Amino acid sequence: MDQSVAIQETLADGEYCVIISFPAAWSSQPQGLPAWAWEVEWQAVQGVLCEGDSRQSRLLGLVRYRPERGGQEHALFLYTHRRMAITGDDVSLDQIVPVSRDFTLEEVSPDGELYILGSDVTVQLDTAELSLLFQLPFGSHTRTFLQEVARACPGFDPATPDPEFRWLSRYRCPEPEPEPEPPTPQSWNSAPGTWPGRARIGGGGSSSDELRPNGKGLPVDQSSWGQNKPENSLSRQNKSKSEISNMVRSSTITVSDKAHILSMQKFGLRDTIVKSHLIQKEEDYTYIQNFRFFVGTYNVNGQSPKECLRPWLSHDTQAPDVYCVGFQELDLSKEAFFFHDTPKEEEWFKAVSEALHPDAKYAKVKLIRLVGIMLLLYVKQEHAAYISEVEAETVGTGIMGRMGNKGGVAIRFQFHNTSICVVNSHLAAHTEEYERRNQDYKDICSRMQFCQVDPSLPPLTISKHDVILWLGDLNYRIEDPDVEKVKKLIEEKAFQTLYAYDQLRAQVAAKAVFEGFSEGELTFQPTYKYDTGSDDWDTSEKCRAPAWCDRVLWKGKNITQLSYQSHMALKTSDHKPVSSVFDIGVRVINEELYRKTLEEIVRSLDKMENANIPSVSLSKREFCFQNVKYMHLQVESFTIRNGQVPCQFEFISKPNEEFYCKQWLRASPSRGFLLPDSAIEIELELFVNKTTATKLNSGEDKIEDILVLHLERGKDYFLSVSGNYIPSCFGSPIHTLCYMKEPILDLPLETIRELTLMQLQTEDNGSQLEKPMDIPKELWILVDYLYRNAIQQEDLFQQPGLRSEFDHIRDCLDTGMIDNLSASNHSVAEALLLFLESLPEPVICYSAYRNCLECSGNLAASKQVITALPACHRNVFTYLMAFLQELLKNSAKNHLDDNILASIFGSLLLRNPAGHQKLEMAEKKKAQEFVHQFLTHPEPLSLLSYSA
């Protein structure tokens, strides 16, 4: 939600909100935004103002003003706001805090019980007469905000003139005195008291990027690099053990010792070498210590908590050191699905927190949720100081690979010197969809990426962790079709006999999923499906066969599973919760050995520094990608082998080019470090999507590029990339396809180029071309297939298809071999959505976008907008509405309703011309309402009305 746009609307001319949130997809400067602002990395911060027991939401905007006398002044504007702050009318200015010389913003931690760790960041704002306490959300947004505030602080340089803040006088409330005094920094606010446990991040006397001791408290001899340690920097040696255990550190400030020496950008190649050697010699200064992990998963079927969770979470006599608790189907409502908002999150969070083991105190590390998939991480209070580098991400694998009704959420963190990743996933349903489940798993593995503390480092994937814990409703079923036979084996407790029919066992054995993972023996009965509120198997009309849907797997060294069981006492859902308890060996650092190892590495580097110029050899320098197709990944690889000198490499952009490669290409990794005589494999990934397909179809772009591989202190190497692209109807304009009466691959490339570059005409302008078809034949093929085969298909447009089937569908459309089209209804439905998404000009043209939003809710005015569209676009819109109306006539079978269809198609038919990847919430709802009115007020129209 871009709430800073609302903040900007409240400001006067010449004042700018420095921290503004814009979607990453914006490729050009937004209208009305000054050029200087477009060069900033944007974030908006919504926080919670804490006053005693009170918690109130506030928007925080750092506002910059440039006085005529030169220089610049800053103030922090605090706003109250409506739940959805879209415009200036939705926010109300509450307080202004000038960023004066006595202004400080400090990270703090509570003096008592730990509550939030590595996620929400607690900061205290102080001036001479002001003290405010805020909780800010963990992540790069808050990190950038705090960095910008630190830069805005005037500091203590006597040569710098004092800020005057005269420009803030316009915001002062009228006072009864006839001659109010000039504004001073103290005259805008009053505030509550303070909180102990500070780690300064702003103000005149401290460096915001100063290295700090991390959770492990390892001392780093900064003098080795010629760094002067500020007097007020915090050192673990100066703190008691109890003080350290009470510190709650955010990974925005504290990083783990594996990357801690080089986590800040001020370090160079030498320090990268130190880091790499430390990782190599890790066993020299660490030892293994076991910690107890509880891992639990529960599909709650959209229910609210109705019973105490202690039989599940606290069944063991020994309190776990770490809790990893996952939920699926937290909320099944349409509001949660489309707008990601649900009260169930707080309900289940509270239920879990109250049911943790009574013999220990716990700190919540992180909560992450994607629609109904939620993951919670807690640690014992005494371990809080040893947790760092907390990151959380989500991956939706629903329809079009984005919807969050299926997918995964993950939390990664550093515990002492061991990296751990916890994944909670909900994979595709239905017995026959095991291939879709396999694909979901692979998508989560490939798309789940975690930012590192050092933004110059490539993101981490799930596999790049020492320990991986994977839990969730994996939805793999029991293959035996005889439900009664399954139940009989369960009654006899013949679980190993039944396990032979388990789909997950078969897929793991075939190395299709979870390669390298382990799972404990299943000694408990299947956890799905039960009648809610009982231990009885499903008696509904569908009578689902029992299955072990809910599972826990792990990967890594020094892991011992102590228990693996279900918990039949809980009856809230049609699933039973599952838990697994592990002893996990974590690498703990011996500080004395660490210091010795560090000193040895630094001494050895002193001897060899600047000895030689780095050089490498490349196994391959020319790469040819043959027959590249739309949304079909091709990968070529090569090896970089290093010589005798440590080197840092990076692909760099060519002169006058913004990126190191074209949009359809990516090098993985694009940068890295090599020790002497070591090697690394680089993958070049070529993938054409909706962003790049149109220019490749038209010939404006070709599969041709030159990559420049640069060595720090060394020379550059040039790599040649070439290939050929197979044109596709995907990424082609509507009017172009209407003029293509033959399949696109039957046409000469020059004809495809001419038709793709042809300008869209509102009406017939007397062109010499043949009369176009009413709608693209490819669209007709997809809709006709669905009309004939899927009109009563349950969950149409909500269940994703198979990627292999999309390739087949694309090829059939591009070659015209429609008689060979054979795919699942869900795959064809997803192909239709991808076709609409790939249109360079959406069905409702960009020029009509604003008119559509303005007349949303006014059917007569909306019809006029559609009537004014170019004929081919008007025909496609009307044709699609007729098809969707046919689907609604069969809603009793397909379970679709007008709101679901309006939500899915609204964002595809109406797209913001500014290039947003996603519509803002207010625009999204208006787009939905625009389409909705055509679905609920159908025109008499037949699907056969148009020719293709």
Side-chain angles (χ1 to χ4, degrees), residues 208-446:
S208 64
D209 64 351
E210 159 199 338
L211 271 181
R212 307 179 189 285
N214 67 5
K216 297 167 220 142
L218 289 181
V220 178
D221 185 4
Q222 293 177 320
S223 63
S224 300
W225 297 274
Q227 302 292 331
N228 293 322
K229 197 169 186 178
E231 292 180 3
N232 65 342
S233 67
L234 298 176
S235 170
R236 184 169 184 188
Q237 294 95 311
N238 299 327
K239 288 183 171 290
S240 69
K241 188 172 182 180
S242 61
E243 283 179 304
I244 287 294
S245 68
N246 284 331
M247 289 291 282
V248 178
R249 289 192 170 88
S250 162
S251 66
T252 60
I253 299 300
T254 306
V255 295
S256 85
D257 276 308
K258 253 188 186 176
H260 135 258
I261 298 176
L262 304 169
S263 61
M264 301 300 178
Q265 292 186 1
K266 64 182 179 182
F267 292 105
L269 175 61
R270 177 184 174 91
D271 309 286
T272 304
I273 298 171
V274 173
K275 171 187 171 182
S276 299
H277 278 292
L278 278 172
I279 293 173
Q280 278 194 333
K281 295 176 176 290
E282 184 181 44
E283 293 187 2
D284 294 348
Y285 58 86
T286 62
Y287 60 92
I288 299 295
Q289 180 177 335
N290 281 336
F291 293 88
R292 183 155 296 195
F293 280 64
F294 175 98
V295 181
T297 177
Y298 194 6
N299 182 318
V300 296
N301 192 33
Q303 303 296 311
S304 295
K306 300 173 183 175
E307 51 196 344
C308 178
L309 301 182
R310 281 202 172 172
W312 171 39
L313 300 176
S314 302
H315 68 274
D316 203 356
T317 55
Q318 182 176 335
D321 296 293
V322 180
Y323 270 101
C324 312
V325 183
F327 293 95
Q328 306 84 39
E329 294 191 359
L330 202 72
D331 193 331
L332 299 176
S333 68
K334 296 182 182 67
E335 290 74 21
F337 181 73
F338 292 115
F339 303 116
H340 295 194
D341 194 18
T342 174
K344 301 287 180 66
E345 176 183 308
E346 183 63 28
E347 293 175 6
W348 283 100
F349 166 60
K350 182 179 178 182
V352 171
S353 299
E354 292 174 348
L356 299 178
H357 205 287
D359 293 344
K361 290 185 177 181
Y362 291 91
K364 175 191 135 194
V365 177
K366 187 68 178 172
L367 181 156
I368 182 72
R369 181 176 63 83
L370 174 68
V371 188
I373 310 169
M374 184 168 81
L375 180 61
L376 283 159
L377 180 64
Y378 299 83
V379 298
K380 274 184 178 178
Q381 176 170 327
E382 56 265 34
H383 302 318
Y386 302 97
I387 298 283
S388 59
E389 293 188 51
V390 182
E391 293 286 346
E393 290 296 341
T394 68
V395 169
T397 60
I399 189 75
M400 299 176 71
R402 289 200 303 270
M403 292 293 191
N405 57 323
K406 294 292 188 290
V409 300
I411 301 171
R412 65 89 50 205
F413 60 99
Q414 200 84 4
F415 188 26
H416 288 275
N417 223 53
T418 295
S419 61
I420 299 173
C421 183
V422 185
V423 186
N424 174 22
S425 66
H426 191 192
L427 308 185
H430 308 303
T431 303
E432 68 279 4
E433 294 288 351
Y434 67 90
E435 289 186 26
R436 177 67 233 191
R437 288 187 274 281
N438 295 352
Q439 182 173 301
D440 287 350
Y441 164 80
K442 293 172 184 175
D443 283 348
I444 292 170
C445 289
S446 63

Side-chain angles (χ1 to χ4, degrees), residues 2-15:
D2 182 9
Q3 294 164 321
S4 58
V5 172
I7 293 178
Q8 186 66 54
E9 290 184 13
T10 69
L11 303 180
D13 292 341
E15 300 167 10

